[in-house]
Amino acid sequence: MLNSLWAGMILIGIIFAAFTGRIPEITDAALDSSKEAVTLCITMIGVMAFWMGLMEIASEAGLIQKLTNGISPFLNYLFPRIPKNHPARGYIATNIIANILGLGWAATPAGLKAMEELGKLNHGSPVASNAMCNFLILNISSLQLIPVNVIAFRSQYGSVNPTAIVGAGIVATAISTGTAIVFCKIMDRKKTRKS
């Protein structure tokens, strides 16, 4: 669906440019955008390598395990039906920690593994369990202390102070995560009452 939408917008733009005599501008924009995309990818690879390296060092030093133990009460509150010591808990904790540190790249594999494990707990049902829905909503709301992507984008595009967004990012993601948690608990209670 999204591919069709993008293809349609590009096609409409090219047709409009052909009728208004702006094809050279389309060509220049395509070449400039391609160059900019490659430059941005190189910047993001550097940022990603740096933070993934820090994440690996933190993991080897045992910091990730300590953080996982630290958020265990939160996981117990939000996911009461997941058994203790189940692999899903570790993947969920890793995902949350990576998101808090602004490492969406590191959060994605852990999030996929967490969903896989939660699917096993759901006995292969085609209907998502409460834990699966809660995890998805929590993952999407994504509390971040360090919005690495936004800082990298701002730096790439010449911002005078790329880290100025940190405060606003913390407030916005704290509100979205808090709202997500409240929503999950309300929906969980409604589902429990119906059962």
Side-chain angles (χ1 to χ4, degrees), residues 145-148 150-152 154-155 159-169:
L145 298 180
I146 308 165
V148 175
V150 177
I151 292 170
R154 287 172 55 90
S155 176
S159 173
V160 177
N161 187 3
T163 58
I165 195 73
V166 171

Side-chain angles (χ1 to χ4, degrees), residues 26-39:
I26 292 282
T27 305
D28 291 343
L31 293 174
D32 288 344
S33 296
S34 299
K35 183 179 93 176
E36 200 172 292
V38 169
T39 305

Side-chain angles (χ1 to χ4, degrees), residues 86-172:
H86 192 277
R89 283 183 172 269
Y91 291 126
I92 290 170
T94 302
N95 178 273
I96 291 170
I97 292 165
N99 273 327
I100 287 173
L101 296 176
L103 306 173
W105 313 288
T108 300
L112 292 173
K113 289 298 257 177
M115 274 298 191
E116 187 179 308
E117 292 296 328
L118 290 172
K120 290 176 187 174
L121 281 176
N122 200 23
H123 308 295
S125 171
V127 178
S129 67
N130 276 2
M132 294 169 89
C133 293
N134 289 353
F135 175 64
L136 182 63
I137 291 169
L138 185 67
N139 191 40
I140 291 168
S141 70
S142 187
L143 174 64
Q144 290 186 0
L145 298 180
I146 308 165
V148 175
N149 288 346
V150 177
I151 292 170
F153 287 135
R154 287 172 55 90
S155 176
Q156 175 68 29
Y157 292 108
S159 173
V160 177
N161 187 3
T163 58
I165 195 73
V166 171
I170 291 171
V171 171

Side-chain angles (χ1 to χ4, degrees), residues 66-85:
K66 286 181 183 175
L67 289 171
T68 300
N69 294 340
I71 67 169
S72 187
F74 172 73
L75 293 179
N76 292 338
Y77 172 73
L78 200 56
F79 304 101
R81 293 181 190 93
I82 299 176
K84 298 201 189 248
N85 301 324

